[in-house]
Amino acid sequence: MMMGLSLIAAIGAQNAFVLRQGLRGEYVFAVCLACALSDAVLIVLGVTSLKQIVELLPWLNPIMRYGGAAFLFWYGAKSLWSAFLSAGTLTVGAGGPSSFKKTLATCLALTWLNPHVYLDTVVLLGTISTRFAGYQMSFAAGATTGSFLFFFLLGYGATRLRPIFSRPASWRILEMVIAFVMWLIAFNLLGGV
């Protein structure tokens, strides 16, 4: 569950959209459910399919482990860099309410067209799950639970976060925490080699 939470906590387009919808109070349940179910499908795919691929191609596991660790180091550095350079705040947007279809289509596009979602859910979580032989489905259940918790807490907790994320310092702190978590996961990946 902690692995799933730590990978999903990185603020990207999808999470910012969920946060925005929560702040606006528009279709929050549908948006959170669409994101969480999408993650669940991809996590299970990664945990079940990646194992079979690794068994057929044993040389792929170390490549994915090192590649995943390199990506996490890079992503952590990017987050840290953003923490020092960013002056951004969360803006809800002044536009009127969107239609349900448009909102859901945007949510699904931000989820399924994002290449990082595949790296996080299928490759990284799939690779990490191989370290828990015989307990991969428990690992998938934990990561999926983390995803559901995160999206629903983010969507419905957004109104309480409005004063916090209206300040650039809050985003900087969040980016630094994300960098630390990404580097911690990368070290854990390399430790299993």
Side-chain angles (χ1 to χ4, degrees):
M1 185 168 83
M2 293 308 293
M3 286 290 180
L5 280 171
S6 62
L7 286 174
I8 203 168
I11 292 293
Q14 180 191 43
N15 294 350
F17 181 76
V18 173
L19 192 57
R20 180 182 156 271
Q21 289 303 117
L23 289 168
R24 291 178 70 148
E26 289 182 356
Y27 315 115
V28 178
F29 182 81
V31 166
C32 294
L33 186 62
C35 291
L37 286 176
S38 295
D39 262 14
V41 168
L42 291 168
I43 289 167
V44 170
L45 179 69
V47 168
T48 58
S49 300
L50 199 61
K51 178 184 175 190
Q52 294 167 344
I53 293 169
V54 169
E55 286 175 0
L56 290 173
L57 308 168
W59 52 267
L60 191 58
N61 187 22
I63 289 174
M64 288 191 311
R65 182 174 288 157
Y66 287 121
F71 171 78
L72 290 170
F73 280 122
W74 171 81
Y75 199 88
K78 181 179 169 233
S79 291
L80 192 61
W81 183 257
S82 177
F84 288 113
L85 294 182
S86 177
T89 61
L90 179 67
T91 55
V92 178
S98 296
S99 71
F100 177 75
K101 285 174 78 172
K102 183 178 178 182
T103 300
L104 195 57
T106 301
C107 175
L108 292 174
L110 287 171
T111 301
W112 290 91
L113 298 178
N114 177 4
H116 294 291
V117 75
Y118 298 101
L119 183 63
D120 291 349
T121 56
V122 177
V123 176
L124 287 176
L125 288 176
T127 300
I128 294 167
S129 75
T130 62
R131 296 181 61 201
F132 303 99
Y135 298 98
Q136 285 92 346
M137 291 316 291
S138 296
F139 181 87
T144 299
T145 301
S147 179
F148 271 84
L149 281 172
F150 178 81
F151 283 119
F152 280 94
L153 285 173
L154 182 62
Y156 285 104
T159 54
R160 293 183 185 258
L161 297 174
R162 178 179 270 173
I164 295 170
F165 285 103
S166 65
R167 297 186 303 258
S170 299
W171 286 102
R172 287 187 190 112
I173 291 168
L174 180 63
E175 292 287 1
M176 285 190 272
V177 168
I178 290 167
F180 173 75
V181 168
M182 293 298 119
W183 289 341
L184 185 63
I185 295 168
F187 281 119
N188 283 335
L189 265 178
L190 292 176
V193 177

